[in-house]
Amino acid sequence: MDPSVEMYDSALLGILQHVGEIKPFIEVVFSFLLRRTDFFRIMKDKESKMGFPPGVAKQLVMDTVTRYEQIAKSLMERSYETKMATGEVPPRAVETVEVETVDNNTKNTSSDTKNTSSDSTTQDLPEQKTTQPEVKQEKTEPKSAPYESGLPKVTSQKSDCYNGAVRDNYSWSQTFTDVDITIPVPKQVKAKDVQIDIGRKHLKVSLKPGVVQKEAEVLIDGDLTYDIRREESMWSLVPGVGLQINLEKNLEKMWLSVIEGEEEIQRDNIDPTRHLHEMDDDAQAGWRQAMFDFEQKKAGKPTSKELETHNVLEKAWDAEGSPFKGTPFDPAKLNIST
């Protein structure tokens, strides 16, 4: 573990003490990534310098969680071995022994009973038969595979079908600006095994012959509900997730389905919220300025407009012809509404 990350402990501890719990603390971190970085921004094309390809940001988080889980496991093992060496905890069990229990109705002969009398007594006793309850075993029929082609079944989290749906072999989600499609494929599939044709109004996704079946296997083939910007759309193969296709919408409107003729989603279930990363640069700048002014007012400090006015007045205060030239700047002498 990189020791340099510990230099941020004081700041992070302050946030954690303020929110009180881990869950809201994580919300703070991801909210910061959304508002102040391009972490959740999807790259428009290969030349784009902002954001990540579809699925890469999520995979980055999962890789980090997995790595720190391994670190935590190693630390716990090391701590246990240290305590075991100092005698604070008993060593782990080397062997597990199964002990058969005796029925409570069977009474053991006392230890002071003579061996000679025990033989005769045993002959007089009737033979005891122990009966065990019959356990009925239900016949389980083997479950058939989800797809004859050998493709994994679609399992989707809420984020994978946000404002979208889960279909037989893919799931899709959308914002006002783009559509994201996730198609699960076998682990052995590589990018060279996939053939994807993205058209202005048509989408075809297939696996080349010999990958899963002898013949080429078509996963999606149909006309899109609306036109897209073909040049700004892209796809990627994310290990452990599948194929991820990002379609840039030509018009900023919500779709009810990806492929024409498929079952449409309910219009009432669509979340019309527009997130920050979906806005253009001017809108994002305006939102950040509004948030800055809100925080400044809450702290009793000047807003961005007041700061701008302050800077202009300070320059004009000592300008040629100003009655205040040569005196210290004092905005209290000016009665100017901002």
Side-chain angles (χ1 to χ4, degrees):
M1 184 163 47
D2 187 0
S4 64
V5 298
E6 298 180 2
M7 62 185 294
Y8 308 108
D9 284 0
S10 298
L12 295 175
L13 185 60
I15 298 174
L16 185 58
Q17 290 175 342
H18 179 74
V19 298
E21 296 180 359
I22 294 295
K23 185 177 180 180
F25 174 78
I26 296 176
E27 291 283 346
V28 170
V29 174
F30 278 92
S31 174
F32 173 80
L33 292 175
L34 174 64
R35 294 179 290 103
R36 298 299 180 90
T37 72
D38 61 344
F39 183 79
F40 289 100
R41 192 183 186 95
I42 304 299
M43 291 178 62
K44 304 298 182 182
D45 49 53
K46 295 181 179 179
E47 286 73 26
S48 179
K49 296 183 179 179
M50 296 187 64
F52 295 93
V56 173
K58 183 188 294 185
Q59 189 63 38
L60 181 62
V61 174
M62 295 304 299
D63 291 343
T64 305
V65 171
T66 302
R67 181 162 59 88
Y68 275 91
E69 282 180 343
Q70 295 297 327
I71 295 175
K73 183 178 179 181
S74 176
L75 292 175
M76 291 176 64
E77 289 287 339
R78 192 181 308 168
S79 175
Y80 184 88
E81 291 174 359
T82 302
K83 290 182 179 180
M84 187 172 62
T86 57
E88 296 182 30
V89 294
R92 294 186 178 92
V94 178
E95 183 181 0
T96 302
V97 180
E98 295 183 358
V99 180
E100 295 183 0
T101 58
V102 181
D103 191 352
N104 294 331
N105 295 327
T106 304
K107 296 182 178 180
N108 295 327
T109 57
S110 60
S111 59
D112 58 349
T113 303
K114 296 181 179 179
N115 294 333
T116 55
S117 62
S118 63
D119 294 338
S120 59
T121 306
T122 305
Q123 294 176 359
D124 297 336
L125 291 176
E127 183 181 356
Q128 294 182 356
K129 296 182 179 180
T130 58
T131 59
Q132 295 181 352
E134 182 180 357
V135 179
K136 296 182 179 180
Q137 296 182 352
E138 298 181 357
K139 296 182 179 180
T140 57
E141 298 180 358
K143 297 182 180 179
S144 58
Y147 300 100
E148 295 180 358
S149 62
L151 294 178
K153 185 178 180 180
V154 175
T155 56
S156 178
Q157 298 179 353
K158 185 177 179 181
S159 58
D160 295 330
C161 56
Y162 173 73
N163 282 339
V166 178
R167 299 304 178 205
D168 290 339
N169 59 337
Y170 74 92
S171 61
W172 69 282
S173 62
Q174 65 173 324
T175 63
F176 279 95
T177 57
D178 54 16
V179 174
D180 290 317
I181 302 174
T182 302
I183 309 174
V185 295
K187 294 181 179 180
Q188 70 269 21
V189 173
K190 299 180 181 179
K192 64 180 182 179
D193 301 327
V194 182
Q195 185 172 355
I196 299 182
D197 297 324
I198 301 177
R200 179 182 59 84
K201 192 71 167 57
H202 191 88
L203 175 64
K204 182 176 181 180
V205 182
S206 59
L207 299 179
K208 295 180 180 179
V211 179
V212 177
Q213 295 180 348
K214 293 182 178 180
E215 304 295 332
E217 182 166 7
V218 179
L219 305 179
I220 297 179
D221 187 9
D223 291 332
L224 298 171
T225 306
Y226 297 100
D227 292 354
I228 63 169
R229 299 178 181 177
R230 180 178 178 276
E231 297 77 10
E232 299 184 10
S233 300
M234 58 191 303
W235 68 273
S236 61
L237 177 62
V238 181
V241 178
L243 290 171
Q244 292 199 336
I245 306 172
N246 177 257
L247 304 178
E248 190 76 14
K249 293 180 178 179
N250 191 37
L251 297 176
E252 293 189 3
K253 63 183 301 182
M254 286 296 185
W255 295 12
L256 299 182
S257 66
V258 176
I259 305 297
E260 288 185 353
E262 286 191 340
E263 181 183 358
E264 295 184 346
I265 62 175
Q266 296 293 326
R267 192 183 300 271
D268 296 339
N269 294 335
I270 296 178
D271 180 9
T273 305
R274 183 182 290 268
H275 298 282
L276 178 63
H277 67 276
E278 301 170 16
M279 303 178 184
D280 56 30
D281 294 339
D282 293 338
Q284 289 189 30
W287 184 88
R288 290 192 175 94
Q289 180 177 336
M291 290 300 298
F292 173 80
D293 291 342
F294 174 77
E295 295 294 338
Q296 289 289 100
K297 284 185 177 180
K298 189 167 65 172
K301 299 178 180 180
T303 63
S304 56
K305 186 177 180 180
E306 292 170 346
L307 290 173
E308 183 179 355
T309 302
H310 181 278
N311 292 335
V312 172
L313 292 176
E314 188 174 8
K315 291 179 180 179
W317 181 276
D318 207 33
E320 196 67 33
S322 171
F324 305 104
K325 183 176 175 61
T327 62
F329 177 67
D330 184 8
K333 294 182 179 179
L334 303 174
N335 187 16
I336 300 178
S337 175
T338 57

